Amino acid sequence: MIIWGSKSFKAECGFIIAYLLRVWKIFLFLRLTLSSSIVEGKTKPNCNVCKDIVSNFHKGLASTAKSNFGGGNTKWEEKSLKSYAISEVRLVEIMEHLCDEGAKECHSVVEEHEELVERYWFKEFAQKRDTDFYKYFCIENMKACCPNNTYGPNCSQCPGDVDRPCNGQGYCQGEGTREGDGKCNCNSGYRGDICEECRDGFFEESKNDTHTVCKVCHIACKNTCWEGGPKGCDECKDGWLVDEEQGCIDVNECLTDPCEENQFCTNTQGSYTCFSCDDACVSCTGAGPDKCQECSSGYTVNQDTNICQDTNECEEDSSLCQGEHLLCRNKPGSYDCQCESGYQLQDGVCIKDGPETESVNNDEINTEINNETREEL
């Protein structure tokens, strides 16, 4: 008979926990195997996949930092089964989530390199050695990634200074991975094997043995310049003229009236833009009814404000819209005649709404439908 709390009881519990741990590990292995693609040979290591695994490994460390065996007797468990912090139980919990939201090939990589993770756990982490998991796993053993500022199968050094590849003004193709050709992809404004020169449209503000600073030319410069501002242009763009004192100066094209009638011109740097005048204007010098040179039909100039205002034809001419139940309605620049409520306008006459009106309306609708049908045929 096993007595609760006795040595035999604790030994039995230790055996059960160890057995369950083995079963858990087998289950994890089978789950990884079934979820991964069946491929021949080793999965080619990918640096991004490896980085995801490392990231999830550190997330697992954080999420299990305050956990224990969960058996209810933590002191006995850690005495008999060793500390949970460096236990195989904790490792299995972490490994179960190494591919959460990861790439499809992650499961294959974890399956193939499971022993490598375990070796790090027991030989490095459990021994409290300050060994970086990313460097250990991705760079030194899996050989999926390279140290910073190196690239390619042999982790060759990127062009330029070892600490500032590509002159600090670009990035090395394949940097940090086992891929790429190592050529420099330069930032905007730079060119050259190590991004040490300025592109057209930029000028060299300063340069020394390790740095080149390129700045954009002034908007007035056609292609190249030797310093900033309009005086530094080697040649002016179209729309700009050379001035001995100011350099390239903008041409005001609006002085030649380049826009069409009923438009006004706005000068821009190196060019111009035409805008339509307000509806109140026949011609204008700018936007709005206060910029009219001449008012449109249906508008008159307010002598106090000098603004072209809408003329209310209905008030000025009482003879408009003569007829029983017919009303005059003012519109911007014009007017129209409408019937009172309850009447409809037919052939210039307001007819009261009713069955006869509806019949007439239906006849008109049918006529329109028949005409449309004939046109389709």
Side-chain angles (χ1 to χ4, degrees):
M1 179 178 180
I2 299 175
I3 300 174
W4 179 272
S6 64
K7 291 184 177 180
S8 59
F9 173 77
K10 292 179 178 179
E12 186 71 19
C13 288
F15 173 78
I16 293 173
I17 292 175
Y19 175 76
L20 292 175
L21 179 61
R22 299 293 180 188
V23 172
W24 191 1
K25 190 173 180 180
I26 291 172
F27 167 76
L28 176 62
F29 175 79
L30 291 175
R31 189 176 76 86
L32 291 173
T33 302
L34 292 173
S35 62
S36 60
S37 302
I38 300 176
V39 294
E40 295 183 0
K42 293 282 186 180
T43 301
K44 182 181 179 181
N46 179 281
C47 186
N48 288 330
V49 173
C50 193
K51 286 181 177 179
D52 289 340
I53 293 172
V54 170
S55 176
N56 285 330
F57 179 86
H58 288 298
K59 289 179 182 178
L61 282 177
S63 65
T64 59
K66 296 182 179 180
S67 302
N68 53 48
F69 286 107
N73 193 339
T74 304
K75 290 184 179 180
W76 176 84
E77 289 166 349
E78 296 202 349
K79 179 180 177 181
S80 303
L81 304 177
K82 297 183 181 181
S83 171
Y84 170 83
I86 56 174
S87 67
E88 190 172 6
V89 173
R90 187 185 183 192
L91 173 61
V92 173
E93 290 179 358
I94 292 172
M95 290 187 66
E96 188 176 0
H97 299 285
L98 288 182
C99 292
D100 285 357
E101 300 180 1
K104 294 181 180 179
E105 59 266 34
C106 177
H107 294 291
S108 297
V109 173
V110 171
E111 176 190 339
E112 293 170 10
H113 300 279
E114 181 181 3
E115 292 183 2
L116 186 59
V117 179
E118 293 178 347
R119 192 193 319 156
Y120 171 82
W121 183 262
F122 294 111
K123 299 295 184 182
E124 304 295 330
F125 183 80
Q127 300 301 321
K128 301 186 183 301
R129 295 175 180 170
D130 189 21
T131 303
D132 181 71
F133 183 52
Y134 171 70
K135 181 179 179 182
Y136 178 92
F137 188 64
C138 297
I139 297 177
E140 295 178 349
N141 288 285
M142 276 189 59
K143 300 188 183 304
C145 304
C146 286
N148 290 338
N149 302 338
T150 61
Y151 74 96
N154 300 317
C155 294
S156 305
Q157 181 182 322
C158 289
D161 186 83
V162 64
D163 296 321
R164 296 183 73 256
C166 302
N167 201 34
Q169 299 295 347
Y171 68 91
C172 168
Q173 183 66 38
E175 190 267 339
T177 73
R178 299 276 173 162
E179 302 174 355
D181 57 13
K183 292 183 179 179
C184 288
N185 289 327
C186 301
N187 297 336
S188 175
Y190 295 84
R191 67 180 180 184
D193 293 339
I194 57 172
C195 307
E196 75 283 12
E197 302 175 11
C198 297
R199 289 184 180 275
D200 287 351
F202 293 79
F203 68 95
E204 189 178 283
E205 185 181 60
S206 62
K207 185 175 184 177
N208 56 33
D209 293 339
T210 58
H211 294 72
T212 301
V213 178
C214 298
K215 296 291 185 180
V216 66
C217 294
H218 189 268
I219 189 174
C221 302
K222 188 170 186 178
N223 289 311
T224 59
C225 63
W226 55 275
E227 68 173 9
K231 291 184 178 181
C233 300
D234 292 324
E235 185 179 355
C236 298
K237 281 183 182 177
D238 293 341
W240 304 79
L241 292 175
V242 178
D243 181 85
E244 292 184 2
E245 295 183 358
Q246 302 179 57
C248 294
I249 58 174
D250 176 48
V251 176
N252 188 347
E253 293 87 354
C254 293
L255 297 177
T256 61
D257 295 326
C259 298
E260 297 179 1
E261 186 178 358
N262 201 32
Q263 289 184 333
F264 65 94
C265 178
T266 298
N267 187 56
T268 60
Q269 293 192 88
S271 186
Y272 67 95
T273 304
C274 294
F275 296 96
S276 296
C277 294
D278 191 271
D279 290 340
C281 309
V282 172
S283 58
C284 63
T285 58
D290 58 325
K291 301 296 183 182
C292 298
Q293 291 179 315
E294 180 183 350
C295 294
S296 299
S297 174
Y299 293 85
T300 55
V301 178
N302 184 309
Q303 299 300 324
D304 295 329
T305 61
N306 201 35
I307 296 176
C308 286
Q309 295 181 333
D310 174 49
T311 301
N312 192 330
E313 292 86 354
C314 297
E315 292 182 355
E316 290 192 354
D317 189 351
S318 59
S319 64
L320 298 175
C321 301
Q322 293 293 315
E324 191 175 7
H325 305 295
L326 198 61
L327 302 176
C328 179
R329 188 189 71 166
N330 187 58
K331 295 168 59 178
S334 183
Y335 73 96
D336 62 10
C337 298
Q338 292 186 348
C339 293
E340 295 177 353
S341 177
Y343 293 84
Q344 292 191 18
L345 186 66
Q346 293 182 6
D347 299 327
V349 179
C350 291
I351 300 176
K352 187 175 181 59
D353 290 340
E356 295 181 357
T357 306
E358 293 179 359
S359 176
V360 172
N361 290 340
N362 289 335
D363 290 342
E364 291 178 352
I365 294 173
N366 291 332
T367 301
E368 291 179 1
I369 294 174
N370 291 333
N371 290 336
E372 291 177 357
T373 304
R374 291 192 192 96
E375 290 177 359
E376 291 178 357
L377 294 175

